Every structure is written in C-alpha cells, then in structure tokens.
Amino acid sequence: MTVPDIRNEFAGRVAVVTGGGSGIGRAIAHRYGAAGGKVIVLGRREEPLMETVEQIAAAGGSADFVTCDVRDAALMAEAIDAVVDREGRIDALVNNAAGNFVSPGENLSPNGWKAVIDIVLNGSFYATHAAAQHMLAAGSGSILNVIATYAWHGHPGTVHSAAAKGGIVAMTRTLAVEWAARGVRVNCIAPGPTETEGAGRALWGTAAARARVQGGVPAGRFASPEEIAESASFLMSDRADYITGEVLVVDGGQWLGKSVYTDGKENA
Ligand code: HXC
C-alpha cells in the first residue's frame, strides 16, 4: 500500500471559500494554499479578504479574492463564473459564510430570521448552484458546507441558524445523490466551538458564557481554526473520493457529551 504524499495535493487546483476573510474560512484558505492550491476567498468586505490573500502569498501560496454578498444569487453566479473564466476551473467550493446571533425564538423578528436564513441556507445554495454548473461539466468537484451539530439536536437561542444548518444537511444529502455518478461530491463539516472572533462575538461574548461552552466540551477546550481546516482539507481532497453526503463532526465530543456532567464524571 502506498501512502499518499499530501504536501502538494492541491497543486493545479482551484478552490473558492466563502467567508474566507476570517475565522474558519480563512484557516481553510490557508490550508488549501499551503498544499499548493490556488484559493479564491469570497466575502462582502474587501479589507479582510485582501489580508487573507496577502497572508497566503507571504506563506508562499497563491490566492485572490472576490467581493460578493452571498445573499445575491445573480452576483454569486457572476462571481463564480468570473473565477472559472480567470482560473480555468473550480475544483472545490467551501460554503463557510455565516451570520448568527443569540435570540430567544419568540423575540426573533421575521427580518432577523430572514437575514440568517438568507446568508446561511440561501447563500450556500446559490454558491453551490453556480459552482455545480462548472463542476458537473468538468465531471469533478468537491463542495463542503460548514454547519453545526445543532442542525439536528437544536439549540436554544439559535432557531434561525439551526434551521438554516439543518436545511443545508438536507441539501447536502440530496445533491450528493443527484451528483455522485457525475463526479461531484457534497459533504458537511460540523465544527464544535472554535476560537474565532466572529463566533466569539455572536455566541460567547462574555467570560461566563465562554466558560459554560467550554465546560460542555468533553475534550475540555475549544478547537483551533487550523484543526477544523485540517479535517476540511481531507474532505476536499482526493483522499475522500468515496465520501459524499456525509457530515464530519469535529467537536471534541461536544454533542455526544451533552448528557455528561461538566466534570466529566458519571452520575454515581
Ligand atoms: C436580535 C438581531 C440581532 C441580535 C441583528 N438582529 N442582530 N436581533 N439580536 N443580536 C436583527 C435586526 O434587528 C434585524 O431585524 C435583522 O436581524 C437584520 O439585521 P441587520 O443588521 O440589518 O442585518 P445584516 O446587516 O444583514 O447582518 C446580518 C447579521 C450580522 C447576521 C445580523 O450579524 C452578520 O452579517 N453577521 C456575519 C458574521 C457573523 O455573524 N458571524 C458569526 C457566525 S458564527 P429588524 O426586525 O430589526 O429589521 C456561526 C457559528 C455557528 O455561525 C456554530 C457554533 C457552534
């Protein structure tokens, strides 16, 4: 058996990462670039995207950016088409862009619901739809959706995000079957609490909230964006060629450990 050499495994390939200007998206972009791929980060604001591109270039990788609000289907199609015109291909798409805030369901305004559904669920479909036109024509591609385990177990205060992420799981499984014979894989990754500014601000803004979240993780710590990117890069690579329609949970045991007391001991 030969062990694949993964150091340059994305050489000659092109990936688009939405929300690539920060957090997990930025780390995935770095990881793809570090393994020889060309990575295009997509987002609303030019400044953080440019910063990602400069960081990847400084590390010897190749990157570019495109500004686009994932909520605009027409602009998204234009952005993806422009990437393919320029680069000649699109091998991977990571739907990472997200919006979130904590609100009890009964206080959530219809507009608040819509903002998150538009970014997370609709935005992921728009990008997937646009990228799939090219991937299906080429007969290969990998689409990776960043979700959260509350897609299936729910979580108080995040009904908008949980519903959107749950929708993405259904979208993933449906399209994975539609496209499997045509070389396009569709998967999800479900990170647990990860050290990013965006999630920190939106979900664990105080030291007490942060401690409570950390106490609920059997591994006893948050993930680093880099370790989420490591798992993401596996699913984007040929090493995962036979994996489609799947959800890879990378959460330090968080969701399975929900019935465990925070000291990790059994209820004696
Ligand atoms: C209650 C809120 C609110 C809050 C916004 N709204 N923030 N309601 N509590 N904290 C309401 C507004 O009042 C408004 O409704 C509606 O939502 C839209 O708000 P806007 O600010 O106009 O929307 P917009 O500018 O489009 O911003 C979208 C956003 C924003 C989602 C609200 O936060 C955003 O763009 N965030 C992107 C970055 C982000 O959130 N990253 C974190 C992802 S972390 P009304 O009725 O007043 O008009 C993540 C991790 C998940 O997803 C997994 C963890 C384990």
Side-chain angles (χ1 to χ4, degrees):
M1 182 179 185
T2 51
V3 178
D5 181 357
I6 66 170
R7 281 169 298 186
N8 224 21
E9 69 179 338
F10 298 127
R13 300 198 182 182
V14 175
V16 171
V17 181
T18 73
S22 61
I24 290 173
R26 176 177 276 183
I28 292 173
H30 272 281
R31 179 64 179 77
Y32 200 81
K38 172 94 187 250
V39 60
I40 317 294
V41 284
L42 182 153
R44 276 183 295 179
R45 293 187 304 120
E46 188 170 317
E47 202 188 332
L49 298 174
M50 268 176 67
E51 205 176 271
T52 304
V53 168
E54 283 163 11
Q55 289 171 353
I56 292 171
S62 178
D64 207 341
F65 72 92
V66 52
T67 51
C68 177
D69 189 332
V70 298
R71 291 174 275 195
D72 189 320
L75 282 184
M76 177 58 81
E78 266 177 39
I80 298 284
D81 289 353
V83 167
V84 176
D85 277 349
R86 213 167 48 228
E87 308 297 336
R89 56 194 296 149
I90 178 169
D91 299 283
L93 165 71
V94 182
N95 286 310
N96 163 77
N100 211 347
F101 53 84
V102 177
S103 171
E106 71 274 23
N107 297 341
L108 182 65
S109 73
N111 207 29
W113 166 267
K114 187 172 181 304
V116 171
I117 295 288
D118 275 348
I119 296 169
V120 178
L121 179 57
N122 295 338
S124 296
F125 178 73
Y126 299 151
T128 296
H129 184 265
Q133 309 304 317
H134 301 284
M135 291 175 172
L136 291 168
S140 75
S142 172
I143 296 170
L144 183 62
N145 300 311
V146 181
I147 61 154
T149 60
Y150 58 51
W152 55 90
H153 61 66
H155 189 75
T158 59
V159 64
H160 42 6
S161 177
K165 302 288 195 187
I168 292 180
V169 174
M171 177 181 93
T172 297
R173 291 178 174 150
T174 301
L175 296 179
V177 174
E178 282 191 27
W179 296 341
R182 295 152 77 192
V184 177
R185 299 184 295 109
V186 192
N187 289 293
C188 293
I189 186 168
T194 305
E195 300 278 11
T196 69
E197 267 179 42
R201 221 178 14 246
L203 299 174
W204 44 82
T206 64
R210 199 190 137 84
R212 206 168 59 243
V213 171
Q214 183 162 321
V217 181
R221 63 174 180 84
F222 282 54
S224 70
E226 291 71 28
E227 55 194 338
I228 304 302
E230 199 53 44
S231 299
S233 76
F234 165 67
L235 287 172
M236 294 163 79
S237 77
D238 292 347
R239 288 173 289 143
D241 240 0
Y242 205 52
I243 302 178
T244 195
E246 193 51 78
V247 180
L248 179 58
V249 177
V250 188
D251 74 342
Q254 185 194 36
W255 91 272
L256 289 172
K258 278 192 173 299
S259 59
V260 176
Y261 290 92
T262 51
D263 61 4
K265 294 190 177 132
E266 286 171 31
N267 188 13

